[in-house]
Amino acid sequence: MRVLVTGGAGYIGSHTVRELIKAGHRVVVLDNLSKGHEEAVSEAELVKGDVSDRTLLEDLFGRYRVEAVVHFAASSLVGESVANPAVYYHNNLTKGLVLLDVMIENGIRYLVFSSTAAVYGEPQVIPIAEDHPALPANPYGATKLAFENALPWYGRAYGLRSVSLRYFNAAGADPAGDIGEDHDPETHLIPLVLKVALNLLPSLDVFGTDYPTPDGSCIRDYIHVTDLAAAHVLALEALAVGRRSTVYNLGNGSGYSVLEVIRAAEDVTGRPITVDFAGRRPGDPAALVAGAEKIKAELGWQPRFNDLRTIIETAWQWHRKHPYGYKGVDQRPATVGE
Ligand code: UDP
């Protein structure tokens, strides 16, 4: 298919672009590069621009005869969303609705949407299946859910067919080692742990040791970014053969605590990770683990990297080779971590 990937220069977007191309699809990326990296898109054409630019979208849809959209372009920092919800409603909802308008006007009927486990809020049961109540605890999750909720109505009225993918904790990097995770500021656990291993940070703050978990630190379900990417390809292909619109969780179904991640990273890197035990980070649920049986049963998705150590190994390969991310050592960002 001919596919437009919005936000395709970002972490999950760029890995998905790679998997789409491997599967034989023709891809054009639209990214305003506010967070994404031009270097992450070497195999597809990159158009710099905003997903709310109607004229640009119309031009792209016509020029590339686009048949489907995979929509990543969004703001995705929980803390920032609490401090500035207007930015999140604008970027994640208003701009997304413009994209839908132009898709419908141009007869584009297939959409794969990058959603999040943050739509669930504080879990009532673990593992979390798709029918778990969706009560987001922050504007990031709320805006992703608001967009998701529009989709069935657009389906009924305008024939839009969509799959929303709710990711748990994306981690790792393409095993080829040339694309990976590069956020500024970096707030995620695994890249921060590996920056400590590389001596780019003096220590890692462990946010909370008094959670009701076996070792007191938070438990998360880490899923390899290439497995996430592969699920987007399956979702798109399912829509193309007439499967119904739906929502799927994406996770490995096993939880690891922050301390377990640190120990696994010590093993993988062979280096000690200095930690500081800090207080809880506001808004962090004690444990998040995915129930991802639905996508396995319906689309035959199977994670290939379902072992934490392997996930960390691929991340380590990327970080060791690119300690300052896509930028060279001379242009390293002033902030490494928060
Ligand atoms: N975490 C931590 N120290 C850090 C960053 C994260 O202890 O410097 C913890 C965080 O509290 C959470 C887990 O690691 O329990 C994963 O956090 P991350 O930000 O990677 O993903 P999130 O679960 O927020 O999507």
Side-chain angles (χ1 to χ4, degrees):
M1 293 178 97
R2 290 179 297 272
V3 186
L4 175 74
V5 179
T6 76
Y11 172 44
I12 305 172
S14 58
H15 285 78
T16 301
V17 167
R18 177 160 288 182
E19 294 307 303
L20 283 166
I21 291 172
K22 273 193 203 160
H25 299 287
R26 302 226 337 245
V27 177
V28 56
V29 170
L30 174 62
D31 199 302
N32 65 10
L33 298 181
S34 62
K35 295 280 181 191
H37 304 276
E38 199 162 352
E39 303 85 338
V41 188
S42 57
E43 293 147 310
E45 183 163 349
L46 169 66
V47 176
K48 284 175 220 161
D50 204 88
V51 72
S52 61
D53 183 338
R54 283 177 185 268
T55 314
L56 178 59
L57 283 174
E58 267 160 26
D59 174 60
L60 288 177
F61 288 158
R63 199 146 43 96
Y64 294 92
R65 293 184 294 126
V66 169
E67 296 162 288
V69 175
V70 183
H71 178 40
F72 291 98
S75 297
S76 63
L77 295 175
V78 168
E80 184 184 68
S81 81
V82 175
N84 203 346
V87 168
Y88 279 68
Y89 276 89
H90 188 67
N91 289 346
N92 297 0
L93 187 58
T94 312
K95 288 187 179 186
L97 296 178
V98 173
L99 172 68
L100 294 186
D101 285 350
V102 186
M103 282 178 67
I104 289 155
E105 284 158 18
N106 287 268
I108 298 163
R109 295 281 178 262
Y110 303 127
L111 174 75
V112 177
F113 174 53
S114 163
S115 191
T116 168
V119 299
Y120 295 113
E122 187 71 40
Q124 297 171 9
V125 286
I126 295 270
I128 302 169
E130 290 82 355
D131 59 0
H132 183 285
L135 299 167
N138 52 63
Y140 169 58
T143 54
K144 287 284 184 177
L145 182 63
F147 186 84
E148 265 193 26
N149 283 341
L151 297 175
W153 300 110
Y154 279 55
R156 185 188 287 197
Y158 314 122
L160 180 76
R161 305 247 303 286
S162 62
V163 173
S164 296
L165 298 174
R166 295 173 173 172
Y167 320 143
F168 283 67
N169 287 59
D174 187 283
D178 58 333
I179 56 174
E181 192 166 7
D182 179 5
H183 297 116
D184 183 20
E186 188 53 79
T187 61
H188 295 111
L189 178 64
I190 291 177
L192 289 176
V193 168
L194 297 178
K195 283 177 194 289
V196 176
L198 285 166
N199 286 321
L200 296 173
L201 287 177
S203 63
L204 178 94
D205 283 339
V206 175
F207 295 143
T209 49
D210 58 349
Y211 284 98
T213 58
D215 66 20
S217 66
C218 283
I219 290 176
R220 293 289 180 274
D221 182 337
Y222 296 89
I223 164 142
H224 196 278
V225 64
T226 302
D227 287 328
L228 283 183
H232 293 72
V233 179
L234 286 177
L236 194 68
E237 292 173 350
L239 288 174
V241 298
R243 300 291 288 262
R244 67 190 172 95
S245 296
T246 193
V247 170
Y248 294 118
N249 282 345
L250 286 170
N252 274 312
S254 26
Y256 294 95
S257 72
V258 173
L259 297 179
E260 284 174 324
V261 169
I262 293 166
R263 271 196 298 275
E266 286 183 325
D267 267 12
V268 166
T269 62
R271 303 180 186 187
I273 312 287
T274 309
V275 300
D276 289 323
F277 293 107
R280 291 184 178 196
R281 188 172 67 173
D284 268 341
L288 292 174
V289 179
E293 297 314 309
K294 185 176 164 193
I295 190 167
K296 290 180 184 165
E298 294 187 6
L299 302 190
W301 177 76
Q302 277 299 336
R304 287 196 296 136
F305 302 88
N306 53 8
D307 163 67
L308 179 65
R309 234 158 273 261
T310 317
I311 293 175
I312 294 175
E313 267 164 25
T314 64
W316 178 231
Q317 211 177 315
W318 157 257
H319 285 282
R320 218 169 17 166
K321 212 160 138 194
H322 305 268
Y324 301 106
Y326 289 100
K327 295 182 178 63
V329 65
D330 298 333
Q331 300 147 285
R332 62 177 174 263
T335 47
V336 185
E338 276 192 312

